[in-house]
Amino acid sequence: MKKDIDIPVSKDVYVALVLEWNDEFLSKDWNAYIINNRTTPIEMVLIVSKGYDEKVKTSTMRHAIGVVAAKSYEKIELVQEDVLRLNNEFYVTYYADNKLFERKFIFKKHSVNEANTITIPIIEKDGIFAK
């Protein structure tokens, strides 16, 4: 029955957009990162990302990261400036403690800008957490 199904809640795993200097293009770019603030690693991390609003939808991107160590992070992708005018969704699935976890992270359109940044723990750079 439904009451017998254990659906674990994803805790201490986050997605953040971090504003970083790009030496190649001599510009500040937004990069998406997955952050594992757990005391144990997460494994077989799969991330599906897309941008959308009422009229426009971007291509769906899929990323696989083998392991994200405890208290660490991994880069997912560069997020182009013109995509930030859309809602940006990152659907994350991973294994930890012999269980499958999943969570959807969303950056609302127009919410990603330099004025809204905070220092992202573990990465120690300016960025924005997804909701």
Side-chain angles (χ1 to χ4, degrees):
M1 309 293 215
K2 276 188 174 182
K3 65 181 173 96
D4 296 325
I5 298 173
D6 178 31
I7 301 174
V9 177
S10 175
K11 293 181 183 174
D12 298 324
V13 174
Y14 309 98
V15 172
L17 288 179
V18 176
L19 190 58
E20 297 177 299
W21 180 255
N22 184 327
D23 286 328
E24 186 177 343
F25 296 109
L26 301 176
S27 64
K28 283 187 173 181
D29 293 329
W30 292 97
N31 291 301
Y33 285 90
I34 183 158
I35 302 167
N36 178 12
N37 198 27
R38 297 167 48 98
T39 57
T40 58
I42 59 175
E43 301 173 329
M44 293 180 54
V45 181
L46 300 174
I47 303 160
V48 178
S49 64
K50 65 181 178 181
Y52 63 90
D53 68 7
E54 300 80 29
K55 298 177 183 177
V56 179
K57 182 178 175 186
T58 66
S59 298
T60 300
M61 305 290 286
R62 292 171 179 82
H63 307 276
I65 301 172
V67 175
V68 180
K71 303 292 184 183
S72 71
Y73 59 92
E74 293 289 335
K75 185 175 177 179
I76 302 169
E77 66 185 14
L78 167 73
V79 178
Q80 295 181 341
E81 193 75 32
D82 58 340
V83 177
L84 297 176
R85 64 181 174 79
L86 305 171
N87 296 309
N88 284 274
E89 176 182 293
F90 292 82
Y91 192 79
V92 178
T93 306
Y94 61 93
Y95 278 99
D97 306 324
N98 293 319
K99 294 182 181 178
L100 179 67
F101 293 83
E102 60 185 17
R103 182 165 172 201
K104 186 187 306 184
F105 296 91
I106 297 178
F107 295 94
K108 295 286 187 186
K109 60 183 171 180
H110 305 295
S111 68
V112 179
N113 59 60
E114 205 164 346
N116 292 339
T117 61
I118 60 168
T119 300
I120 303 296
I122 299 178
I123 297 177
E124 298 302 325
K125 293 183 181 179
D126 289 341
I128 297 171
F129 279 115
K131 303 255 188 237

